[in-house]
Amino acid sequence: MADVVQFKLERMLPELDDLEKRSLFSRQEIAEIVKQRRKFEYRLKRPSPLKQDFVAYIDYEKSLDSLRLLRKKAQMKTTGDRKLKKSVSDYAGVSRIIEIYRLATTRFKGDIELWFQYLEFCRERRNGRMKKALAQVIRFHPKVPGVWIYAAAWEFDNNLNAAAARALMHSGLRACPTSEDLWVEYLRMELTYLNKLKARKVVLGEDEGTLARSGKSAKEEQWRDENKELFIVLDDKREEDKLSNLHDGDSKEKLDLFREQGLSVLQTVYGGSIKALPSSFSLRTKFLDILEATDLGHSEDMRNEILADMKRDFSKEPKYWDWLARQEVIDLNNPETTGAMTADQLSRAIEVYEEGLKIVPSASMFDCYAKFLMDVIHFKNKGSQSSELFSTARHVMDPISHLLVVYEKAETMGCITEDLACQHVSFLLQLGKVDEAKTLAEKLCSGKFSEAVQLWALRFSIEMRFIQKNCTPNKAALSSIFELLRSVLLKLPILEAETIWLMALKYFSTHKKFFDKLVETSISLLAKDGGSDDGFSLSTTIVNFVLQRDGLGSARELYKRFLALPHPGLSLYRNCIELELNLASSGDKISLGNVRKLFETALTTYDQDVRLWQDYYNMEIKMGTSETAAAVHWRARKTLKKSISLVPSLDM
C-alpha cells in the first residue's frame, strides 16, 4: 500500500514544481497539499474504502483547483499578460479529479447520483472522458430514464448531432417504454429540432415565424430564461447542409410544411406513448401542454383527438373531470389573474363537474368538486373581489352558496365521507353559522359517523365554544357534554382517540370532579387494553397533566396506579424514571430509591431492551457506586445472553 501511494505522490512532482515555479503556491502550501493528498490516497487504498472517502478527496481537489485558477487570474491581471501559456498544472487538477471519479464509479457502480456528478463535471470542463463515461453509465443503468435523457441532451446540445440523440432516445424507449419523461422529452427534442430548422429559414430570409407560440407571460419567460439548462436546445451550425433538402416556395407553403411535419411528429410519438402507457393520465395532459405551446398544423383537430381519447379512457375517473373543469377557468394558483375569472368560466367548470357526477357519483368526485370551489373562494377573497365578480344579467353565480349545495348533495347521494363531513362543518364555522354547524355535527355523529374521531373532535370543540360563551358555565351543560364525551371515549380505541383525549384533559383540567372521572375512565380502558409504546401514551399524558397541576406527590400516586395495571407501556416507565431522576439529581435519596424500583419493575417485563439496561447502568455510574454499576452490567450480559459493553452516555 505504501509503495503505491508513494508512487502516485512522486508522479505529482512535475505539477507541484510548476505551481511553485509560477508562484501560485508557496513551498509550505505545497507541503500541506502533499500531506493532504497522502492522507486521501491512504484512505482510498483501504480494503473497503467508503464513498465519503472519494467524495471528500474530490471536494478537496475541486477547491484546490479553484484556488489555483483564482490566483492565476490575479497574477495575469497584475502582470497584464492575458495570454499566459498553459502548463502541466493547468491540466493535472482536472485529470486527477476525473481519475478519482473513475475509481469511485468503478467501486460504486450502482450509485446513480455519483454517476451524474461525474457526468456533470465532465460536461462543465468539456473533458474528453464524457463519451466513455456516458457509455459506461448506460451499460450499468439502462433502466434509468434520466440516463438516456442526459445522454441524448448531450449529443443534441454539445455535439450538435440530432441523429445520435434520436438514436439514444429510441434505445431508451425500448429499454424504458413505461417512462413518461422519456416520451415527453423525445417529443420536445423532435419539435425543437424542427423549430430550429424553421428558425434557420427565418434567419436566411426565406421564411417567417417559428413553431413556438408567443403567448407566454412575463413570469413564464423569466422562469424559462433562468432555467434554460432544463430544456433541450439545438445549435443550428450543423444543420445548414440539411436545409438544402427543403424545396423553395412562398412563405406560407414553407410554414405549412413545417407545421404539418410537426403535427406528424406529435401524432407518431403520441400514438407510441399511448400504446406503451395506456393508463397514464398525466402523460396525456403533458402532450396537451406541448401542443398548446407549439404552433402546428391542424392543432385544434389534434387537441380534440387527445381530449376524445382521454374521455374514452378516463371518464370513470374523478381526476379526469377535475382536470377538465379546471381547464375552463384561469390558473387558480396565480392570485394576480383571479380578477380575470368570469361567471361564464365558472359556470362552464361547474357544468363539467355536474356531468362528472352523473357518470362517477363517488366521494372522490365530490371531494374534487368541493376543493375546486374552495380554491375559487380563497383566491376570490385574496384578490379582494366581491361576489359581484360572478354576477351576470341573468343569474348570480355565488361559489359559497354552491359549495354548501355540493356538501348537501354529497350527503343526499350517500357519497359523504368523514373528511367531507368535517369540511362541511368547518366551512359553516368559517361563515359564522355556528348554530347550523352544531346541528349538522350532532346529526352526522349520531348517524353513520358515530365512530369518526375527527368529526367528534370538531363537535366537542363547538360544544365547548357554546359553554365558554357563558361567563359562569352551566353545571348541567358541563355534565351533559362530559357524559357524551366519556361515552365516546369508552367506545373508541385509545390510539385512535388521541385528539379527543387531549382536548378533554385540557378542557376539564380545571374541573377536578370531571378530571378525576376522566382518570378513572382511562384506568378502566388501560386495564383492558394495556399500555402502548407506539405513538400516543395516555397514561404518560395524564401523569404529566397531574404533575403540572397538582405537583409531584399527586403525580407519584397516580403513576403507581397506572403501573399496577396489566402490562404498562415502557414509555410510562421511562417517563416516571425521568420524573424521579430530576429529583434524585438534586440529592433526594427517596427519589433515587424510586428510580431503582422503577428500573427493576420495568426489567421484569422488558428485560430484553438494551437501551433500558444502558439507562440503568448510566444512572448507577452517575448516582450509585462502582459495585452497583458492575452488578447491573453483569446482570445485563447474563440476561441478554451476549457480550455487550454498557458505555456511559456522554450526557450522563
Side-chain angles (χ1 to χ4, degrees), residues 513-527:
K513 175 183 175 182
F514 295 116
F515 189 85
D516 292 342
K517 288 184 178 181
L518 276 177
V519 172
E520 296 301 326
T521 302
S522 68
I523 290 174
S524 64
L525 289 173
L526 290 170

Side-chain angles (χ1 to χ4, degrees), residues 124-137:
E124 290 172 1
R125 300 306 179 96
R126 298 182 179 180
N127 192 274
R129 187 68 69 88
M130 179 70 172
K131 191 169 184 178
K132 186 175 181 180
L134 276 174
Q136 288 177 327
V137 71

Side-chain angles (χ1 to χ4, degrees), residues 40-150:
F40 284 120
E41 289 292 344
Y42 270 111
R43 285 185 182 179
L44 299 191
K45 290 301 177 183
R46 293 187 299 180
S48 298
L50 304 175
K51 174 186 173 182
Q52 187 57 37
D53 297 333
F54 292 95
V55 173
Y57 197 179
I58 290 168
D59 291 341
Y60 173 77
E61 290 294 339
K62 284 182 178 179
S63 301
L64 185 64
D65 194 60
S66 299
L67 179 60
R68 179 199 63 79
L69 189 60
L70 286 173
R71 290 184 177 182
K72 180 181 176 182
K73 288 181 178 179
Q75 192 179 75
M76 292 169 62
K77 187 176 181 181
T78 303
T79 59
D81 189 358
R82 298 293 181 182
K83 295 183 179 179
L84 190 64
K85 185 178 180 180
K86 292 187 176 182
S87 61
V88 63
S89 61
D90 293 304
Y91 306 101
V94 174
S95 298
R96 184 172 298 103
I97 295 171
I98 292 291
E99 178 63 16
I100 300 170
Y101 267 125
R102 186 190 68 79
L103 293 173
T105 52
T106 300
R107 182 166 186 82
F108 302 100
K109 297 182 180 66
D111 194 324
I112 191 66
E113 180 183 357
L114 189 62
W115 276 107
F116 275 116
Q117 291 175 8
Y118 183 17
L119 295 173
E120 273 298 292
F121 183 79
C122 292
R123 184 186 64 82
E124 290 172 1
R125 300 306 179 96
R126 298 182 179 180
N127 192 274
R129 187 68 69 88
M130 179 70 172
K131 191 169 184 178
K132 186 175 181 180
L134 276 174
Q136 288 177 327
V137 71
I138 287 174
R139 184 170 75 252
F140 292 129
H141 300 279
K143 296 298 182 180
V144 178
V147 169
W148 296 102
I149 295 173
Y150 192 99

